Amino acid sequence: MRRRKIFTKPPLRPNSDINVTPLVDVVLVLLIIFMVLTPLLDKDIPIRVPDTTKVETPEEVPPDQLVVGITPEGELLINSQKITEDEYVNRLKRMLAAKPPGEKLVFFMPDEKANYAKVIGALDGARLAGAETLGMMTELAEIVPGTGGAPGAPGTPGAPLSPPASPPPGTPSSTTGPSP
């Protein structure tokens, strides 16, 4: 019996070179995607912009406008008249019943220090009373003579609220649409 010698190669060192084949594949896929999308970026999408219209601002505030105010102490005011929470909804119902459908609008002007829960309660009460649209006043309107507003300088503490004027264009305000 003869012995055979078997030679083995010493183990190779780990290959530390980066395999660039997957990198090239990814780069080629990205190149194809950009080549396909680039012509689409030049397409114009037609947009129809509405025409501008001039908004008329009324000189006088309608005397039958409803403004609900909330003082920092939580008192409710309807057109500068203090009322209790118990008679708030009934009083608004009577005032809104006299208005035709589509014109049942109530503006709210809470003091910035008023309790949030009182403001939400007043909004809910107005909906229960039949208000179709609720508006938030962002600025205290000036008192126009002949509209029933009590005298007092607007913006001063304790000054009564007056009916709102239409806000000038660009004044932020929010309204809610008709109730479902």
Side-chain angles (χ1 to χ4, degrees):
M1 287 223 247
R2 273 171 82 181
R3 285 188 178 223
R4 247 174 151 189
K5 288 186 179 179
I6 300 175
F7 293 103
T8 60
K9 291 185 182 179
L12 296 174
R13 291 186 308 156
N15 186 3
S16 64
D17 293 339
I18 296 175
N19 188 358
V20 294
T21 305
L23 178 66
V24 170
D25 289 343
V26 169
V27 169
L28 285 176
V29 168
L30 288 174
L31 179 67
I32 291 170
I33 290 172
F34 283 119
M35 287 174 57
V36 169
L37 290 179
T38 302
L40 297 176
L41 295 177
D42 292 337
K43 300 286 183 199
D44 291 336
I45 299 173
I47 297 175
R48 189 174 58 91
V49 181
D51 296 333
T52 58
T53 58
K54 185 175 180 180
V55 178
E56 294 180 27
T57 55
E59 296 297 321
E60 275 194 36
V61 178
D64 61 342
Q65 195 72 39
L66 292 176
V67 179
V68 174
I70 302 164
T71 65
E73 295 81 29
E75 297 172 330
L76 292 171
L77 306 168
I78 295 181
N79 291 344
S80 303
Q81 296 176 355
K82 289 184 184 180
I83 60 166
T84 64
E85 290 180 28
D86 297 334
E87 62 183 30
Y88 171 68
V89 175
N90 292 330
R91 184 108 177 249
L92 269 180
K93 272 185 188 176
R94 285 194 309 264
M95 295 173 106
L96 289 171
K99 294 186 176 224
E103 294 184 18
K104 296 182 179 186
L105 170 68
V106 179
F107 284 100
F108 287 86
M109 183 65 182
D111 190 272
E112 62 186 38
K113 295 178 183 173
N115 185 344
Y116 183 72
K118 294 277 187 183
V119 175
I120 296 302
L123 290 167
D124 289 341
R127 280 288 186 193
L128 287 174
E132 295 171 351
T133 306
L134 303 176
M136 295 298 288
M137 294 177 56
T138 57
E139 295 178 5
L140 190 61
E142 293 182 24
I143 296 174
V144 178
T147 59
T156 59
L161 295 174
S162 63
S166 294
T171 302
S173 66
S174 64
T175 58
T176 58
S179 62

